[in-house]
Amino acid sequence: MAYNEVSGTRHPLRMWAEPETVDPQAMQQLRNVANLPWVHGVAVMPDVHHGKGATVGSVIAMKDAVSPAAVGVDIGCGMTAVKTSYKASQLPDNLAYLRGKLEQAVPVGFQHHKRPVDPAKVHGMRTAGWAEFWREFDDLAPAVHARRERAEAQMGTLGGGNHFLEVCADDEGWVWVVLHSGSRNIGKELAEHHIGVARGLSHNQGLVDRDLAVFLGHTPEMDAYRRDLYWAQDYARRNRALMMGLVCDVLRRHLPGIGFDQPISCHHNYVAEERYDGVDVLVTRKGAIRAGSGDLGIIPGSMATGTYIVKGLGNPRAFNSASHGAGRKMSRTKAKKTFTVKDLEEQTFGVECRKDPGVIDEIPGAYKDLESVMAAQRDLVEVVAHLRQLISIKG
C-alpha cells in the first residue's frame, strides 16, 4: 500500500492506511485534529480506529501545545519484551501449570498486590530512583493524593482489557516473554483530571470537539499537566519493569538455567519533545510507537496471531513512528454479540489461555489482520523477529 496524503484540512493527513477503509468517525476525528491551529502535522498509522477524543493510531505534532486526549487515558501504556536462552522444545508439556504460576505472581484485571512489591526483592531489578519517584507523588494534582496506597498496590500488576502477559516463541524456537500494560488507575485518573481542566480553558470553548481541548505552552496548566504526565509515563515504565522482574523470577524457579537478554521496551500512549522541519514540537503518540532509525519496538496482533519485534527506519513523514499493534476492527460490544466461546476456542487453538465468555471481546477476530498492518508500514519499520503465542494471560 502506498503512502497517502489527504488534503482539505489545515494540515494534510499523512496516512499509512487507505482512507476509504477507515471508519467515518475516525476520519472525522482526524480532520478535526488536523484543523487545530496549534498542529504542525498529523500522521495516521495502519491500525487506526476511532477512540475517545483523539483517534487511536494517530501521531500529532503540536507547536507549544498538547491535547491530553491525544495521549489517551492510559498514560504511558506500552510494551516490554525479553528474549530468553530457552528453546520452546525445553518448555514443560504442561503449560497450564506454568500459566497458573505466572498468574499467581502478577495480578490481573482488578486485582492488585496485597502489599506493595519491594523492587529490591525482585531479582535483577534496578532500585535506583524508586524512593525519589514515590516522593514526587505528593507533587501531583491534589485530585489524586488519596490514591497513593492503591497506586503502590497496583505497581507491578497487569490490568484488564487488551493488556496481556505472554510466553512466545520466535521462528527459530527461542522463547520470549512479552507484556502489555500501562499506568493503571492512577494514570487514568490523572488523565481525566487534566482533560477536564483543559475543557474549561477559554481558548478551547469554540472547538468542534471539546475532547480535543489543548494546553498551551508557558501556562500553569501546561506545566501541571506535563509534570503529572511524565510521572505517569514513568509509573508505566516501572510497572512493566517490575512485572517483567516478577515473571522472570517465576521462570527461574521452574525453568532451570534460563537466562534473559536485555529488555526491549516502548510506550505507545505518550508525549515526547522532538524536532521536525526545524521546529521544536510536542509529539503525542496514541496507539503508536517511536520508530526512529534503529529504535527497537514491539507490534502485537491479538492473543493468538503473533507479535513482531521491529527496528525503526526513521521516516520523518511519519514523525518517526509506526503502529502499536493490529488495532481493533470491531468494538468490544460488537465482538461479544458476534462471537461465541466455541469461536474463541477455535481461534486460540494451540495457545494456553482463557477460553471463556470473559475474554470474548479480545478474540482474534475482533482485530485487524496483523500481516496487512505490517505490510502497510514497510517504509516505517523492518522486522527483527516474529513471535507466536504459547501462553497468553488476559485480565
Side-chain angles (χ1 to χ4, degrees):
M1 185 198 76
Y3 161 78
N4 294 282
E5 277 201 6
V6 177
S7 58
T9 51
R10 185 186 296 262
H11 294 278
L13 298 170
R14 309 172 184 181
M15 300 190 66
W16 278 261
E18 296 288 356
E20 61 271 16
T21 67
V22 179
D23 72 84
Q25 277 186 299
M27 282 302 298
Q28 189 57 54
Q29 282 186 319
L30 293 167
R31 292 189 183 97
N32 290 344
V33 168
N35 276 322
L36 292 177
W38 309 279
V39 167
H40 179 72
V42 179
V44 182
M45 300 296 102
D47 60 339
V48 61
H49 57 279
H50 180 261
K52 176 68 173 176
T55 322
V56 179
S58 61
V59 182
I60 305 166
M62 288 191 181
K63 179 75 169 67
D64 287 330
V66 66
S67 170
V71 181
V73 294
D74 191 359
I75 298 171
C77 186
M79 304 278 301
T80 298
V82 172
K83 185 180 180 180
T84 79
S85 63
Y86 251 53
K87 285 291 187 84
S89 59
Q90 296 175 269
L91 293 175
D93 293 335
N94 187 359
L95 291 181
Y97 177 80
L98 187 58
R99 173 189 156 203
K101 291 299 181 182
L102 293 171
E103 289 175 336
Q104 288 175 17
V106 178
V108 302
F110 292 108
Q111 302 301 312
H112 54 74
H113 293 287
K114 292 180 180 178
R115 61 183 62 85
V117 177
D118 182 354
K121 295 182 179 179
V122 179
H123 185 88
M125 276 294 298
R126 296 179 180 177
T127 57
W130 280 85
E132 180 184 6
F133 168 77
W134 283 114
R135 281 197 298 270
E136 291 173 353
F137 191 95
D138 292 337
D139 296 328
L140 301 177
V144 304
H145 283 181
R147 304 303 192 191
R148 175 162 179 164
E149 185 176 337
R150 182 169 64 182
E152 290 177 332
Q154 287 188 323
M155 177 66 79
T157 66
L158 191 66
N162 63 355
H163 292 166
F164 61 78
L165 164 61
E166 294 179 340
V167 177
C168 303
D170 66 23
D171 292 341
E172 296 179 352
W174 294 109
V175 172
W176 291 67
V177 180
V178 183
L179 60 84
H180 172 210
S181 191
S183 52
R184 305 296 282 110
N185 191 259
I186 189 65
K188 175 178 179 291
E189 292 202 2
L190 284 169
E192 290 176 342
H193 166 75
H194 287 287
I195 289 171
V197 171
R199 283 177 180 154
L201 298 176
S202 59
H203 60 266
N204 291 318
Q205 300 313 302
L207 297 179
V208 173
D209 183 352
R210 290 281 296 283
D211 282 332
L212 293 177
V214 305
F215 291 119
L216 300 181
H218 315 294
T219 63
E221 294 85 3
M222 171 71 100
D223 293 343
Y225 175 62
R226 292 179 70 174
R227 176 199 63 212
D228 292 0
L229 168 83
Y230 293 144
W231 185 91
Q233 289 180 182
D234 195 18
Y235 184 105
R237 180 182 61 81
R238 292 174 184 273
N239 182 41
R240 291 195 297 273
L242 190 58
M243 276 190 287
M244 188 60 78
L246 294 170
V247 168
C248 291
D249 277 354
V250 170
L251 298 184
R252 286 187 184 94
R253 288 194 294 271
H254 296 279
L255 303 177
I258 192 170
F260 303 93
D261 286 357
Q262 287 298 308
I264 300 166
S265 188
C266 58
H267 290 322
H268 53 227
N269 281 16
Y270 75 113
V271 176
E273 301 171 28
E274 298 178 4
R275 186 174 179 85
Y276 296 96
D277 310 312
V279 179
D280 291 324
V281 292
L282 288 170
V283 178
T284 57
R285 294 184 175 94
K286 182 177 182 179
I289 62 172
R290 178 172 169 82
S293 181
D295 288 342
L296 291 174
I298 307 160
I299 301 178
S302 64
M303 58 195 293
T305 57
T307 288
Y308 282 94
I309 307 298
V310 299
K311 184 181 291 185
L313 297 177
N315 190 325
R317 289 190 301 182
F319 300 110
N320 290 338
S321 304
S323 79
H324 81 314
R328 297 192 71 91
K329 69 179 180 182
M330 66 175 66
S331 69
R332 296 184 183 279
T333 299
K334 185 176 180 181
K336 290 176 181 178
K337 292 179 179 178
T338 303
F339 297 107
T340 65
V341 170
K342 184 179 179 181
D343 294 325
L344 180 64
E345 292 172 347
E346 291 175 349
Q347 293 183 30
T348 60
F349 179 78
V351 180
E352 174 55 46
C353 63
R354 287 177 59 185
K355 302 177 193 284
D356 60 69
V359 291
I360 284 180
D361 56 340
E362 282 295 303
I363 192 170
Y367 283 82
K368 296 179 180 179
D369 177 60
L370 179 59
E371 303 308 315
S372 298
V373 168
M374 294 303 298
Q377 53 186 340
R378 284 191 294 261
D379 59 341
L380 304 183
V381 294
E382 62 180 359
V383 173
V384 173
H386 171 251
L387 317 182
R388 56 183 175 84
Q389 287 89 354
L390 304 175
I391 299 173
S392 182
I393 296 170
K394 290 278 187 179

